[in-house]
Amino acid sequence: MVSSILNKISPVVVKEIEEVLATYPQSPYQEVFKYPHYKQILVAYVLSRISHQLITADEMEQQNNLYKTDHLHLTMPQLLHIESLIHQGIEQILSEQAEDLHQYVLGGVVDPACLRSNWLG
C-alpha cells in the first residue's frame, strides 16, 4: 500500500519542484538543482514530510469506495503544502550543503567526480 502511494505522489512532487524552481533565479537555485544529486535530496525532503498524511487520506478514501482511479488527485491545500515544503527544502538544502555547493558547483567548473554522491561509488 505505501509503495503505491509513493509511486503515485512522486511524479506530482517532481512536477511541482520543476514549477517552483522555475520561479527562482538562475543562480544559485537553478544551477544547484540541475544536478540530480541535489534534486533527489529535495524530492526525498518533500516526500518524507508528506507521505504519512497522504497514505492516511488514501486509506480513508478506499474504505469509502471514493478512490477508483490510478491517478492521484490532490486538493488545493495539499498542493499548497507540497509547494511550501519545496520552498523550505530548497532553503534548507542550500544552507546544509553550502560548503559543497560553494566548492564544487558555484565555485566554477563542476567536476562530477568530486560530488559527494560519487565518492561512495
Side-chain angles (χ1 to χ4, degrees):
M1 175 75 126
V2 172
S3 62
S4 67
I5 298 292
L6 291 177
N7 287 339
K8 291 176 183 176
I9 192 64
S10 293
V12 174
V13 169
V14 170
K15 179 180 175 246
E16 289 298 316
I17 286 172
E18 294 295 329
E19 291 177 7
V20 169
L21 281 174
T23 66
Y24 278 79
Q26 180 68 26
S27 180
Y29 301 97
Q30 291 184 27
E31 288 178 10
V32 168
F33 289 101
K34 72 179 178 186
Y35 295 98
H37 171 73
Y38 295 109
K39 190 175 284 185
Q40 188 59 39
I41 292 172
L42 181 56
V43 169
Y45 177 91
V46 175
L47 287 175
S48 70
R49 286 158 177 79
I50 62 169
S51 60
H52 180 71
Q53 294 172 340
L54 294 173
I55 289 168
T56 302
D58 183 63
E59 288 172 350
M60 289 173 45
E61 287 177 345
Q62 281 189 347
Q63 289 174 358
N64 293 325
N65 294 324
L66 297 175
Y67 189 81
K68 298 183 186 244
T69 180
D70 289 335
H71 295 52
L72 184 63
H73 298 285
L74 301 177
T75 64
M76 185 57 73
Q78 287 173 321
L79 283 173
L80 291 174
H81 180 65
I82 289 171
E83 287 181 16
S84 175
L85 288 172
I86 293 168
H87 290 290
Q88 293 169 21
I90 289 169
E91 296 304 321
Q92 183 170 338
I93 291 165
L94 287 178
S95 66
E96 287 177 354
Q97 305 283 331
E99 185 177 322
D100 287 345
L101 293 172
H102 180 71
Q103 186 173 2
Y104 300 115
V105 178
L106 303 175
V109 178
V110 176
D111 180 2
C114 293
L115 290 175
R116 187 174 294 172
S117 64
N118 290 327
W119 288 355
L120 301 175

